[in-house]
Amino acid sequence: MPTLLGVPFLGRRRETASEPPTSRENIRDAAGPQASPNAQAPNNFSSEFTGSMFPSRRAEILSAHQRSTASQEPLHTPASPTKAKSPDSVAQRTAAFQHRRPWRRLLYIPQDFPDDYVDDTFLMELQKNANVRMYNYSTVVMQTTVVTQHISSIVVFIAVFINLYRGALTGNLLLWCSTVITVIGIISWDLLCLTLRTPVQRIIRLGMIKGAVLFALLLFGLSPILRTLTEDTSSDTIWAMTVIFFFVNLAFHDYSTGNLTNIRFPGSVSLNAAVLASVLLASQLDSNLSVFAFLTFALKWFALFPIFRRYLKRISAAASMVTTVVLALVATAMFMYISRAIAMLHVFSTLFITFGCPLWLIWVQRYKNEIHGPWDEARPIVHHYYH
Protein backbone atom coordinates (compact mmCIF):
# COMPACT_ATOMS: atom_id res chain seq x y z
CA MET A 1 0.00 0.00 0.00
CA PRO A 2 2.71 2.60 0.79
CA THR A 3 4.46 1.74 -2.42
CA LEU A 4 1.31 2.42 -4.41
CA LEU A 5 1.02 5.84 -2.75
CA GLY A 6 4.44 6.85 -4.12
CA VAL A 7 6.30 6.68 -0.77
CA PRO A 8 8.98 4.03 -1.33
CA PHE A 9 10.79 4.33 1.99
CA LEU A 10 7.64 3.32 3.96
CA GLY A 11 7.80 -0.18 2.53
CA ARG A 12 11.49 -0.73 3.16
CA ARG A 13 10.92 -2.47 6.44
CA ARG A 14 8.33 -4.82 4.89
CA GLU A 15 10.58 -6.25 2.24
CA THR A 16 9.82 -9.86 1.48
CA ALA A 17 12.13 -12.63 0.50
CA SER A 18 11.00 -12.48 -3.07
CA GLU A 19 12.32 -8.95 -3.31
CA PRO A 20 16.09 -8.75 -2.80
CA PRO A 21 17.26 -5.93 -0.60
CA THR A 22 18.76 -2.96 -2.27
CA SER A 23 21.43 -0.90 -0.63
CA ARG A 24 21.77 2.84 -0.71
CA GLU A 25 24.85 2.53 -2.88
CA ASN A 26 22.97 0.55 -5.50
CA ILE A 27 20.15 3.09 -5.57
CA ARG A 28 22.65 5.93 -6.02
CA ASP A 29 24.41 4.05 -8.83
CA ALA A 30 21.08 3.47 -10.57
CA ALA A 31 20.24 7.15 -10.33
CA GLY A 32 23.20 8.04 -12.49
CA PRO A 33 26.51 9.84 -12.08
CA GLN A 34 24.86 13.21 -11.55
CA ALA A 35 22.86 12.08 -8.55
CA SER A 36 23.93 13.14 -5.11
CA PRO A 37 22.80 12.16 -1.64
CA ASN A 38 20.93 15.48 -1.33
CA ALA A 39 19.26 15.38 -4.77
CA GLN A 40 15.48 15.16 -4.89
CA ALA A 41 13.14 14.13 -7.67
CA PRO A 42 10.54 16.71 -8.72
CA ASN A 43 7.57 14.52 -7.84
CA ASN A 44 9.01 12.18 -5.07
CA PHE A 45 10.07 12.63 -1.54
CA SER A 46 13.64 12.13 -0.30
CA SER A 47 14.68 8.65 0.79
CA GLU A 48 16.94 9.92 3.52
CA PHE A 49 14.21 9.69 6.13
CA THR A 50 14.20 6.47 8.08
CA GLY A 51 12.14 5.10 10.85
CA SER A 52 8.48 4.62 11.30
CA MET A 53 5.90 7.15 10.15
CA PHE A 54 2.65 7.80 11.92
CA PRO A 55 -0.58 8.01 9.94
CA SER A 56 -1.10 11.70 10.83
CA ARG A 57 2.37 12.55 9.66
CA ARG A 58 1.77 10.59 6.49
CA ALA A 59 -1.38 12.59 5.77
CA GLU A 60 0.49 15.89 6.25
CA ILE A 61 3.24 14.77 3.86
CA LEU A 62 0.65 13.75 1.26
CA SER A 63 -1.19 17.05 1.48
CA ALA A 64 2.10 19.00 1.20
CA HIS A 65 3.03 16.92 -1.86
CA GLN A 66 -0.31 17.68 -3.49
CA ARG A 67 0.09 21.39 -2.85
CA SER A 68 3.61 21.44 -4.34
CA THR A 69 2.36 19.57 -7.38
CA ALA A 70 -0.48 22.02 -7.85
CA SER A 71 1.90 24.98 -7.55
CA GLN A 72 4.01 23.66 -10.41
CA GLU A 73 1.05 23.79 -12.81
CA PRO A 74 0.87 26.75 -15.27
CA LEU A 75 -0.89 29.79 -13.85
CA HIS A 76 -2.58 30.78 -17.11
CA THR A 77 -4.57 28.38 -19.09
CA PRO A 78 -4.82 28.92 -22.84
CA ALA A 79 -7.86 30.90 -23.83
CA SER A 80 -10.52 29.04 -25.57
CA PRO A 81 -11.02 29.93 -29.21
CA THR A 82 -13.64 32.62 -29.92
CA LYS A 83 -16.82 31.23 -31.04
CA ALA A 84 -17.88 32.33 -34.49
CA LYS A 85 -21.01 34.34 -34.75
CA SER A 86 -23.92 32.37 -35.82
CA PRO A 87 -25.42 33.21 -39.20
CA ASP A 88 -28.75 33.90 -37.53
CA SER A 89 -27.37 36.81 -35.42
CA VAL A 90 -25.64 38.42 -38.43
CA ALA A 91 -28.78 38.17 -40.48
CA GLN A 92 -30.81 39.71 -37.66
CA ARG A 93 -28.43 42.68 -37.37
CA THR A 94 -28.43 43.21 -41.13
CA ALA A 95 -32.21 43.14 -41.21
CA ALA A 96 -32.41 45.58 -38.30
CA PHE A 97 -29.99 47.95 -40.09
CA GLN A 98 -31.99 47.75 -43.30
CA HIS A 99 -35.20 48.56 -41.46
CA ARG A 100 -33.72 51.86 -40.18
CA ARG A 101 -35.08 55.09 -41.43
CA PRO A 102 -32.86 56.79 -44.04
CA TRP A 103 -30.28 59.21 -42.67
CA ARG A 104 -30.95 62.91 -43.05
CA ARG A 105 -28.48 65.74 -42.54
CA LEU A 106 -30.46 67.25 -39.69
CA LEU A 107 -29.36 67.46 -36.07
CA TYR A 108 -32.60 68.69 -34.56
CA ILE A 109 -34.56 65.48 -35.20
CA PRO A 110 -33.95 62.12 -33.44
CA GLN A 111 -32.38 59.51 -35.71
CA ASP A 112 -30.97 56.00 -35.40
CA PHE A 113 -27.49 57.25 -36.29
CA PRO A 114 -24.85 59.04 -34.21
CA ASP A 115 -24.40 62.77 -34.57
CA ASP A 116 -21.10 62.44 -36.44
CA TYR A 117 -22.43 59.95 -38.98
CA VAL A 118 -22.11 60.73 -42.69
CA ASP A 119 -23.24 58.63 -45.60
CA ASP A 120 -21.30 57.55 -48.67
CA THR A 121 -22.36 60.61 -50.65
CA PHE A 122 -20.69 63.04 -48.24
CA LEU A 123 -17.51 63.56 -50.27
CA MET A 124 -19.33 63.41 -53.59
CA GLU A 125 -20.42 67.02 -53.02
CA LEU A 126 -16.84 68.22 -52.50
CA GLN A 127 -15.93 71.16 -54.73
CA LYS A 128 -12.44 72.57 -55.20
CA ASN A 129 -11.83 76.15 -56.30
CA ALA A 130 -15.48 76.60 -57.25
CA ASN A 131 -15.49 80.37 -56.66
CA VAL A 132 -11.88 81.08 -57.62
CA ARG A 133 -11.51 83.59 -60.40
CA MET A 134 -8.77 82.91 -62.92
CA TYR A 135 -6.99 86.11 -63.88
CA ASN A 136 -5.55 87.12 -67.21
CA TYR A 137 -2.21 88.88 -67.25
CA SER A 138 -3.26 91.74 -69.52
CA THR A 139 -6.41 92.32 -67.48
CA VAL A 140 -4.49 92.51 -64.21
CA VAL A 141 -1.99 94.91 -65.78
CA MET A 142 -4.82 97.21 -66.77
CA GLN A 143 -6.24 97.07 -63.25
CA THR A 144 -2.96 98.22 -61.70
CA THR A 145 -3.07 101.55 -63.51
CA VAL A 146 -5.28 103.10 -60.81
CA VAL A 147 -2.54 102.46 -58.24
CA THR A 148 0.31 103.79 -60.33
CA GLN A 149 -1.74 106.85 -61.30
CA HIS A 150 -2.30 107.80 -57.67
CA ILE A 151 1.34 107.23 -56.74
CA SER A 152 2.45 109.40 -59.64
CA SER A 153 -0.02 112.13 -58.66
CA ILE A 154 1.42 112.23 -55.12
CA VAL A 155 4.96 112.46 -56.54
CA VAL A 156 3.89 115.34 -58.84
CA PHE A 157 2.27 117.16 -55.90
CA ILE A 158 5.41 116.86 -53.76
CA ALA A 159 7.55 118.09 -56.68
CA VAL A 160 5.28 121.14 -57.06
CA PHE A 161 5.71 121.97 -53.37
CA ILE A 162 9.50 121.61 -53.51
CA ASN A 163 9.71 123.94 -56.51
CA LEU A 164 7.38 126.41 -54.78
CA TYR A 165 9.38 126.16 -51.54
CA ARG A 166 12.69 126.75 -53.32
CA GLY A 167 11.32 129.70 -55.33
CA ALA A 168 11.54 127.99 -58.71
CA LEU A 169 7.76 128.32 -59.01
CA THR A 170 5.68 131.33 -57.99
CA GLY A 171 2.25 131.27 -56.41
CA ASN A 172 0.72 133.34 -59.21
CA LEU A 173 1.94 130.92 -61.89
CA LEU A 174 0.71 127.93 -59.93
CA LEU A 175 -2.73 129.48 -59.49
CA TRP A 176 -3.11 130.16 -63.21
CA CYS A 177 -1.81 126.75 -64.23
CA SER A 178 -4.19 124.93 -61.86
CA THR A 179 -7.14 126.97 -63.12
CA VAL A 180 -6.31 126.24 -66.77
CA ILE A 181 -5.88 122.52 -66.05
CA THR A 182 -9.28 122.46 -64.30
CA VAL A 183 -11.02 124.10 -67.27
CA ILE A 184 -9.33 121.68 -69.67
CA GLY A 185 -10.48 118.76 -67.57
CA ILE A 186 -14.12 119.90 -67.58
CA ILE A 187 -14.08 120.44 -71.35
CA SER A 188 -12.48 117.02 -71.91
CA TRP A 189 -15.17 115.44 -69.74
CA ASP A 190 -17.94 116.93 -71.92
CA LEU A 191 -16.19 116.01 -75.17
CA LEU A 192 -15.75 112.41 -74.06
CA CYS A 193 -19.42 112.21 -73.16
CA LEU A 194 -20.44 113.51 -76.58
CA THR A 195 -17.95 111.39 -78.54
CA LEU A 196 -18.60 108.10 -76.78
CA ARG A 197 -22.32 108.80 -76.40
CA THR A 198 -22.31 108.07 -72.73
CA PRO A 199 -24.87 109.56 -70.36
CA VAL A 200 -23.73 112.79 -68.76
CA GLN A 201 -23.13 112.40 -65.03
CA ARG A 202 -25.46 114.19 -62.64
CA ILE A 203 -23.21 117.04 -61.68
CA ILE A 204 -24.92 120.34 -61.12
CA ARG A 205 -22.48 122.70 -62.77
CA LEU A 206 -23.95 125.86 -61.30
CA GLY A 207 -23.83 124.51 -57.78
CA MET A 208 -20.30 123.21 -58.29
CA ILE A 209 -19.08 126.56 -59.56
CA LYS A 210 -20.80 128.37 -56.69
CA GLY A 211 -19.24 126.08 -54.12
CA ALA A 212 -15.80 126.41 -55.71
CA VAL A 213 -15.97 130.20 -55.59
CA LEU A 214 -17.08 130.27 -51.94
CA PHE A 215 -14.37 127.81 -50.95
CA ALA A 216 -11.70 129.80 -52.81
CA LEU A 217 -12.73 132.99 -50.98
CA LEU A 218 -12.60 131.13 -47.68
CA LEU A 219 -9.12 129.83 -48.39
CA PHE A 220 -7.95 133.31 -49.43
CA GLY A 221 -9.19 134.75 -46.13
CA LEU A 222 -7.57 131.96 -44.06
CA SER A 223 -4.24 132.01 -45.89
CA PRO A 224 -2.49 134.30 -43.33
CA ILE A 225 -3.62 132.04 -40.48
CA LEU A 226 -2.59 128.84 -42.25
CA ARG A 227 0.82 130.29 -43.11
CA THR A 228 1.66 130.86 -39.44
CA LEU A 229 -0.08 127.74 -38.17
CA THR A 230 3.07 125.74 -37.39
CA GLU A 231 5.61 128.44 -36.52
CA ASP A 232 6.43 126.84 -33.15
CA THR A 233 6.77 123.34 -34.63
CA SER A 234 10.08 122.04 -35.89
CA SER A 235 10.48 121.25 -39.56
CA ASP A 236 11.45 117.62 -38.90
CA THR A 237 8.12 116.99 -37.19
CA ILE A 238 6.23 118.56 -40.08
CA TRP A 239 8.07 116.48 -42.70
CA ALA A 240 7.45 113.27 -40.71
CA MET A 241 3.73 114.00 -40.24
CA THR A 242 3.43 114.86 -43.94
CA VAL A 243 4.89 111.50 -44.95
CA ILE A 244 2.50 109.70 -42.58
CA PHE A 245 -0.53 111.52 -43.98
CA PHE A 246 0.47 110.75 -47.55
CA PHE A 247 0.80 107.05 -46.69
CA VAL A 248 -2.71 107.20 -45.17
CA ASN A 249 -3.94 108.86 -48.34
CA LEU A 250 -2.38 106.12 -50.44
CA ALA A 251 -3.79 103.33 -48.27
CA PHE A 252 -7.39 104.57 -48.01
CA HIS A 253 -7.78 105.93 -51.51
CA ASP A 254 -10.90 104.82 -53.39
CA TYR A 255 -9.51 102.76 -56.27
CA SER A 256 -12.91 101.67 -57.59
CA THR A 257 -14.55 103.08 -60.71
CA GLY A 258 -18.14 103.28 -59.51
CA ASN A 259 -18.02 106.50 -57.52
CA LEU A 260 -18.11 109.41 -59.98
CA THR A 261 -20.17 112.10 -58.27
CA ASN A 262 -19.30 112.19 -54.56
CA ILE A 263 -16.70 111.11 -52.03
CA ARG A 264 -17.55 108.33 -49.60
CA PHE A 265 -15.74 106.25 -47.01
CA PRO A 266 -12.89 105.27 -47.18
CA GLY A 267 -12.20 107.86 -49.88
CA SER A 268 -13.13 110.59 -47.38
CA VAL A 269 -10.31 109.45 -45.06
CA SER A 270 -7.88 109.63 -47.96
CA LEU A 271 -9.02 113.13 -48.92
CA ASN A 272 -8.80 114.41 -45.34
CA ALA A 273 -5.29 113.00 -44.97
CA ALA A 274 -4.23 114.73 -48.20
CA VAL A 275 -5.73 118.06 -47.03
CA LEU A 276 -3.93 117.81 -43.68
CA ALA A 277 -0.63 117.08 -45.42
CA SER A 278 -1.23 120.05 -47.74
CA VAL A 279 -1.92 122.38 -44.80
CA LEU A 280 1.29 121.26 -43.09
CA LEU A 281 3.30 121.87 -46.24
CA ALA A 282 1.60 125.22 -46.91
CA SER A 283 2.59 126.43 -43.45
CA GLN A 284 6.22 126.28 -44.56
CA LEU A 285 5.73 128.75 -47.42
CA ASP A 286 6.65 132.45 -47.22
CA SER A 287 3.80 134.40 -48.85
CA ASN A 288 0.04 134.30 -48.45
CA LEU A 289 -0.45 134.05 -52.19
CA SER A 290 1.71 130.95 -52.35
CA VAL A 291 -0.31 129.37 -49.52
CA PHE A 292 -3.60 130.17 -51.26
CA ALA A 293 -2.41 128.90 -54.65
CA PHE A 294 -0.92 125.75 -53.16
CA LEU A 295 -4.06 124.82 -51.15
CA THR A 296 -6.29 125.53 -54.16
CA PHE A 297 -4.14 123.28 -56.30
CA ALA A 298 -4.24 120.58 -53.56
CA LEU A 299 -8.04 120.55 -53.46
CA LYS A 300 -8.32 120.28 -57.22
CA TRP A 301 -5.58 117.64 -57.39
CA PHE A 302 -6.91 115.34 -54.64
CA ALA A 303 -10.69 115.96 -54.90
CA LEU A 304 -11.53 116.53 -58.58
CA PHE A 305 -8.71 114.82 -60.45
CA PRO A 306 -9.38 111.32 -58.96
CA ILE A 307 -13.01 111.53 -60.16
CA PHE A 308 -11.80 112.37 -63.67
CA ARG A 309 -9.39 109.42 -63.60
CA ARG A 310 -12.18 107.04 -62.53
CA TYR A 311 -14.32 108.31 -65.37
CA LEU A 312 -11.55 107.65 -67.90
CA LYS A 313 -11.03 104.18 -66.47
CA ARG A 314 -14.72 103.44 -66.75
CA ILE A 315 -15.26 104.56 -70.35
CA SER A 316 -11.93 103.71 -71.96
CA ALA A 317 -9.07 101.47 -70.84
CA ALA A 318 -6.76 102.95 -73.48
CA ALA A 319 -7.36 106.49 -72.21
CA SER A 320 -6.61 105.34 -68.68
CA MET A 321 -3.37 103.73 -69.82
CA VAL A 322 -2.34 106.92 -71.62
CA THR A 323 -3.06 108.93 -68.47
CA THR A 324 -0.90 106.54 -66.46
CA VAL A 325 2.05 106.90 -68.82
CA VAL A 326 1.75 110.70 -68.92
CA LEU A 327 1.62 111.01 -65.13
CA ALA A 328 4.59 108.67 -64.68
CA LEU A 329 6.68 110.62 -67.19
CA VAL A 330 5.75 114.01 -65.67
CA ALA A 331 6.56 112.83 -62.13
CA THR A 332 9.91 111.39 -63.23
CA ALA A 333 10.84 114.52 -65.18
CA MET A 334 9.93 116.89 -62.33
CA PHE A 335 11.93 114.89 -59.77
CA MET A 336 14.92 114.43 -62.05
CA TYR A 337 16.09 117.95 -61.17
CA ILE A 338 15.36 117.48 -57.47
CA SER A 339 16.66 113.99 -56.72
CA ARG A 340 17.65 111.43 -59.33
CA ALA A 341 17.54 108.64 -56.75
CA ILE A 342 13.88 109.30 -55.98
CA ALA A 343 13.13 109.64 -59.70
CA MET A 344 14.68 106.23 -60.46
CA LEU A 345 12.95 104.71 -57.45
CA HIS A 346 9.63 105.97 -58.79
CA VAL A 347 10.37 104.46 -62.21
CA PHE A 348 11.27 101.03 -60.79
CA SER A 349 8.29 100.99 -58.41
CA THR A 350 5.93 101.89 -61.27
CA LEU A 351 7.32 99.11 -63.46
CA PHE A 352 7.17 96.58 -60.62
CA ILE A 353 3.57 97.42 -59.70
CA THR A 354 2.40 97.50 -63.31
CA PHE A 355 4.17 94.43 -64.69
CA GLY A 356 5.75 92.50 -61.81
CA CYS A 357 2.86 92.28 -59.35
CA PRO A 358 0.35 90.85 -61.90
CA LEU A 359 2.87 88.16 -62.87
CA TRP A 360 3.44 87.36 -59.21
CA LEU A 361 -0.31 87.12 -58.57
CA ILE A 362 -0.87 84.71 -61.46
CA TRP A 363 2.07 82.54 -60.37
CA VAL A 364 0.84 82.32 -56.77
CA GLN A 365 -2.72 81.58 -57.86
CA ARG A 366 -1.82 78.03 -58.90
CA TYR A 367 -1.29 77.14 -55.23
CA LYS A 368 -4.74 78.29 -54.20
CA ASN A 369 -6.90 75.42 -52.92
CA GLU A 370 -10.37 76.42 -51.80
CA ILE A 371 -12.79 73.63 -50.90
CA HIS A 372 -16.54 73.70 -50.46
CA GLY A 373 -18.84 70.92 -49.36
CA PRO A 374 -21.87 69.95 -47.31
CA TRP A 375 -20.14 71.11 -44.12
CA ASP A 376 -20.45 74.76 -45.15
CA GLU A 377 -23.18 76.88 -43.64
CA ALA A 378 -26.37 77.15 -45.62
CA ARG A 379 -26.85 80.31 -47.64
CA PRO A 380 -30.41 81.48 -48.13
CA ILE A 381 -31.52 82.31 -51.64
CA VAL A 382 -33.42 85.58 -51.75
CA HIS A 383 -35.67 86.16 -54.71
CA HIS A 384 -36.56 89.70 -55.64
CA TYR A 385 -39.85 90.24 -57.41
CA TYR A 386 -40.51 93.50 -59.15
CA HIS A 387 -44.01 94.46 -60.16
Side-chain angles (χ1 to χ4, degrees):
M1 182 66 183
T3 306
L4 295 176
L5 293 175
V7 188
F9 62 87
L10 294 178
R12 185 176 298 173
R13 298 180 61 182
R14 294 185 178 86
E15 293 175 351
T16 59
S18 60
E19 298 177 357
T22 306
S23 62
R24 294 184 180 179
E25 291 76 5
N26 296 333
I27 294 175
R28 292 173 183 174
D29 295 339
Q34 297 178 354
S36 63
N38 297 327
Q40 296 180 0
N43 295 327
N44 296 326
F45 292 99
S46 175
S47 60
E48 295 295 327
F49 295 96
T50 57
S52 61
M53 299 293 294
F54 295 97
S56 60
R57 182 61 178 170
R58 186 188 304 172
E60 293 176 1
I61 293 173
L62 290 175
S63 61
H65 174 66
Q66 292 175 359
R67 287 195 300 270
S68 64
T69 305
S71 64
Q72 294 178 2
E73 294 179 356
L75 298 177
H76 300 283
T77 57
S80 59
T82 306
K83 296 182 180 180
K85 296 181 180 179
S86 61
D88 297 337
S89 61
V90 176
Q92 290 176 1
R93 291 186 180 182
T94 305
F97 181 80
Q98 292 178 354
H99 285 295
R100 286 182 178 181
R101 290 180 298 177
W103 175 75
R104 301 171 62 188
R105 196 168 62 239
L106 299 174
L107 291 177
Y108 56 84
I109 61 173
Q111 300 188 71
D112 298 333
F113 301 89
D115 293 341
D116 57 349
Y117 174 81
V118 291
D119 58 353
D120 297 336
T121 62
F122 182 74
L123 293 179
M124 294 177 62
E125 302 179 15
L126 177 65
Q127 297 179 355
K128 291 185 178 182
N129 299 331
N131 299 325
V132 175
R133 179 184 175 185
M134 303 304 295
Y135 294 101
N136 189 14
Y137 180 73
S138 59
T139 304
V140 180
V141 168
M142 294 300 297
Q143 295 295 330
T144 58
T145 56
V146 293
V147 181
T148 53
Q149 284 177 7
H150 193 64
I151 294 175
S152 299
S153 66
I154 294 176
V155 174
V156 169
F157 182 79
I158 295 175
V160 168
F161 167 75
I162 293 175
N163 290 323
L164 191 63
Y165 181 75
R166 291 180 176 180
L169 180 65
T170 61
N172 192 10
L173 181 60
L174 177 62
L175 182 61
W176 280 106
C177 289
S178 62
T179 304
V180 171
I181 292 174
T182 304
V183 173
I184 293 175
I186 294 175
I187 295 174
S188 301
W189 185 301
D190 294 338
L191 291 177
L192 288 173
C193 292
L194 294 176
T195 304
L196 300 175
R197 297 180 181 180
T198 56
V200 181
Q201 302 297 325
R202 296 180 179 179
I203 298 178
I204 304 176
R205 300 185 182 278
L206 183 61
M208 184 181 66
I209 295 174
K210 181 179 179 181
V213 171
L214 292 177
F215 200 79
L217 293 177
L218 181 62
L219 280 179
F220 186 77
L222 294 177
S223 295
I225 300 175
L226 296 176
R227 184 177 62 84
T228 59
L229 185 63
T230 59
E231 283 186 350
D232 299 332
T233 307
S234 63
S235 300
D236 297 337
T237 304
I238 293 175
W239 305 140
M241 293 179 63
T242 302
V243 171
I244 293 174
F245 284 135
F246 275 126
F247 273 113
V248 173
N249 173 263
L250 186 63
F252 289 92
H253 182 69
D254 187 8
Y255 296 101
S256 63
T257 59
N259 187 16
L260 299 177
T261 57
N262 53 9
I263 301 173
R264 295 174 296 184
F265 182 84
S268 58
V269 178
S270 176
L271 178 60
N272 291 330
V275 171
L276 288 175
S278 303
V279 171
L280 291 176
L281 293 177
S283 64
Q284 301 297 309
L285 299 176
D286 297 333
S287 63
N288 296 333
L289 181 62
S290 299
V291 173
F292 171 69
F294 182 72
L295 290 179
T296 304
F297 171 72
L299 291 175
K300 296 175 182 178
W301 194 254
F302 290 109
L304 299 180
F305 188 49
I307 298 177
F308 181 74
R309 297 201 308 263
R310 295 190 199 106
Y311 181 70
L312 288 179
K313 177 69 176 179
R314 187 172 182 177
I315 63 176
S316 176
S320 179
M321 182 61 71
V322 171
T323 305
T324 304
V325 175
V326 170
L327 279 175
L329 293 177
V330 170
T332 304
M334 293 183 69
F335 249 98
M336 190 64 68
Y337 298 98
I338 300 173
S339 174
R340 292 186 178 182
I342 297 178
M344 297 306 297
L345 179 62
H346 172 257
V347 171
F348 287 129
S349 62
T350 302
L351 293 176
F352 176 73
I353 294 173
T354 306
F355 301 102
C357 289
L359 187 63
W360 188 12
L361 175 63
I362 294 175
W363 179 75
V364 173
Q365 193 179 16
R366 70 179 68 181
Y367 300 103
K368 188 176 183 60
N369 189 12
E370 181 182 355
I371 60 175
H372 295 277
W375 54 83
D376 294 337
E377 64 275 7
R379 297 181 180 179
I381 301 175
V382 180
H383 299 279
H384 299 278
Y385 297 96
Y386 299 95
H387 299 285

